[in-house]
Amino acid sequence: MFKAKVRAALLALALPLLLNATHILKDDILKLEASKLINEIGDELFSKTGINGYVIATNEPFPVGFNLVEYSKKYEERMSKPYVLFIFAPRALITEEIEQRGRVGLIPSSDDLRSLYDYNDVRDAAVDVVSTKDKNSDEDKHNIGVIQAYSELAEGIAGSKGVELTKTIPNETRYFVWGLSVLVYIGSLLVLWLFVLRPLYIRIKHGRK
C-alpha cells in the first residue's frame, strides 16, 4: 500500500514534466544538440511566460499552396494551449516554374498570440541562414536556421511579456547578412564608378576642353 502511494505521488510529480518533455513534434532534420537546445529554450519560455513553443522540422515535399494550418491539426492532441507552432519545411515546393523550395510557418493557438512576435523576424532568422552561401552543408544550415528562428520566436514572446530568457541565442546572422549586403552594394557602386561613370566623366570633361 505504501509503495503504491509512493508510485502515485511520483507519477503525479512527473506527469507535468512528461507532458512538456519535448517541444519538437516532428523531426526529420535536427541533430541531437539542436534538439536539446530547442527543448531548453522551450522549457524556459514556458516556465516564464506560460506559453508553449512547438517545432515541426520536416523534410516532407509539400506541394505548392499546401495548407500548413490543416496539416498542423494532426498534432493538436500533442500540444497544450496557449502555444505557437513553428514549422520548417525546406523541401516544400513554393513555385512549380523554377521549383523553388522552402517554407516557414507560424501557427498560434489564438489570434491574441500573433501580437507577441514578429512573423517576418522569425521567418528571416531561418531564411537568412539557409540562403547564405558558405561552406556549411544544407543539413547544418537547416539545423542552425531552425534554432535561430525558434530562438527569435521565443525572444519575441518573452519580450512582449516583459521577461528575459537566458537560453536563447543572439541572432547575429541577420546583421552579418545585412553587413554583407552593404559591402556588396558598395562594391557594385565602386565598380560602376571605376568602369562606367569615371571614364564617361573624363570623356565629357576632355570633350568640353
Side-chain angles (χ1 to χ4, degrees):
M1 183 67 178
F2 176 75
K3 290 183 178 179
K5 290 182 178 180
V6 171
R7 282 197 298 268
L10 291 175
L11 181 61
L13 291 172
L15 188 57
L17 298 176
L18 292 173
L19 291 175
N20 294 287
T22 180
H23 302 275
I24 302 171
L25 305 178
K26 182 176 175 60
D27 173 21
D28 300 332
I29 297 169
L30 302 173
K31 296 180 179 179
L32 181 61
E33 297 82 359
S35 299
K36 181 181 178 182
L37 181 55
I38 287 171
N39 279 317
E40 288 178 352
I41 295 173
D43 287 342
E44 184 180 24
L45 176 66
F46 179 75
S47 68
K48 292 184 177 180
T49 67
I51 297 173
N52 286 294
Y54 293 107
V55 172
I56 292 178
T58 177
N59 272 329
E60 293 177 80
F62 298 138
V64 176
F66 184 76
N67 193 320
L68 293 179
V69 175
E70 287 298 319
Y71 171 78
S72 70
K73 290 182 180 179
K74 63 192 285 189
Y75 296 95
E76 280 185 344
E77 293 183 355
R78 297 172 56 188
M79 295 187 285
S80 299
K81 295 181 180 181
Y83 67 77
V84 179
L85 171 62
F86 169 65
I87 300 177
F88 181 77
R91 293 187 61 200
L93 197 60
I94 300 177
T95 59
E96 293 180 350
E97 290 78 9
I98 58 175
E99 292 193 353
Q100 186 178 0
R101 294 183 179 273
R103 287 185 65 186
V104 171
L106 282 171
I107 302 172
S109 60
S110 69
D111 290 336
D112 292 339
L113 292 175
R114 296 181 191 275
S115 62
L116 301 183
Y117 58 87
D118 189 306
Y119 169 80
N120 292 326
D121 286 348
V122 178
R123 179 200 59 196
D124 293 347
V127 173
D128 288 348
V129 172
V130 175
S131 61
T132 300
K133 302 297 182 182
D134 55 30
K135 295 182 179 180
N136 288 318
S137 66
D138 288 343
E139 181 185 15
D140 288 338
K141 288 181 182 180
H142 294 164
N143 274 260
I144 297 171
V146 173
I147 294 173
Q148 201 74 66
Y150 186 73
S151 180
E152 183 72 28
L153 173 63
E155 285 279 11
I157 294 173
S160 298
K161 291 292 186 178
V163 299
E164 184 176 351
L165 302 181
T166 61
K167 300 293 184 180
T168 53
I169 55 178
N171 191 356
E172 297 176 350
T173 305
R174 184 187 308 131
Y175 302 109
F176 170 77
V177 172
W178 178 82
L180 187 61
S181 300
V182 171
L183 289 177
V184 170
Y185 180 71
I186 293 174
S188 299
L189 289 178
L190 184 60
V191 170
L192 182 65
W193 165 252
L194 289 176
F195 295 99
V196 180
L197 298 179
R198 185 172 181 273
L200 182 62
Y201 169 76
I202 293 175
R203 283 200 301 269
I204 294 174
K205 182 179 180 181
H206 289 170
R208 288 178 177 174
K209 288 183 177 181

